Amino acid sequence: QVQLVESGGGLVQPGGSLRLSCAASGSIYRLYDMGWYRQAPGKQRELVATITTAGSTNYADSVKGRFTISRDNAKNTVYLQMNILRPEDTAVYYCNANLINLRVGVRQDYWGQGTQVTVSS
């Protein structure tokens, strides 16, 4: 089994900051790209940011300059530092990992359970 466990969501005022973490564990043979997606009520899930094993990053235009994605390959963990948060950032944030599961033997995407981020005064 492979698990992605997220933490760090919560309620924050506009202009505030939060840091999300996501740790991948279980029968992982090799871990590739990791990332964060979000889904607001009534909207489709959208990409927030991704990071390769080498540290190359990609961001949605709406979060560039405010969010920073990073990872610790030794811990199979990805982080999302979110600054200058806005009400429109309110959503459930999902961790994504592209990896090879030892038991399955194929490269595929896995998802965390999601963590709620609410930006409101």
Side-chain angles (χ1 to χ4, degrees):
Q1 294 286 353
V2 172
Q3 286 187 315
L4 300 183
V5 179
E6 299 142 337
S7 61
L11 173 64
V12 64
Q13 292 186 342
S17 298
L18 281 175
R19 188 187 193 219
L20 306 182
S21 300
C22 171
S25 64
S27 54
I28 299 171
Y29 173 71
R30 182 168 294 177
L31 187 58
Y32 296 94
D33 294 1
M34 300 184 79
W36 292 93
Y37 292 71
R38 67 186 182 187
Q39 188 167 18
K43 294 187 177 181
Q44 289 189 332
R45 189 174 297 188
E46 63 176 5
L47 178 146
V48 176
T50 61
I51 185 168
T52 68
T53 52
S56 295
T57 58
N58 178 51
Y59 294 93
D61 288 342
S62 59
V63 307
K64 283 181 181 176
R66 301 187 298 121
F67 291 11
T68 302
I69 189 171
S70 61
R71 67 189 286 171
D72 184 333
N73 291 329
K75 296 180 179 180
N76 288 344
T77 300
V78 64
Y79 307 94
L80 185 68
Q81 178 66 45
M82 304 184 292
N83 299 326
I84 317 175
L85 282 159
R86 305 167 178 166
E88 54 264 39
D89 295 317
T90 295
V92 177
Y93 283 69
Y94 295 92
C95 172
N96 171 270
N98 185 258
L99 58 88
I100 297 177
N101 184 330
L102 269 169
R103 298 185 180 185
V104 176
V106 297
R107 182 172 172 175
Q108 58 190 88
D109 284 332
Y110 288 80
W111 294 88
Q113 79 283 359
T115 185
Q116 177 70 46
V117 171
T118 302
V119 184
S120 175
S121 54

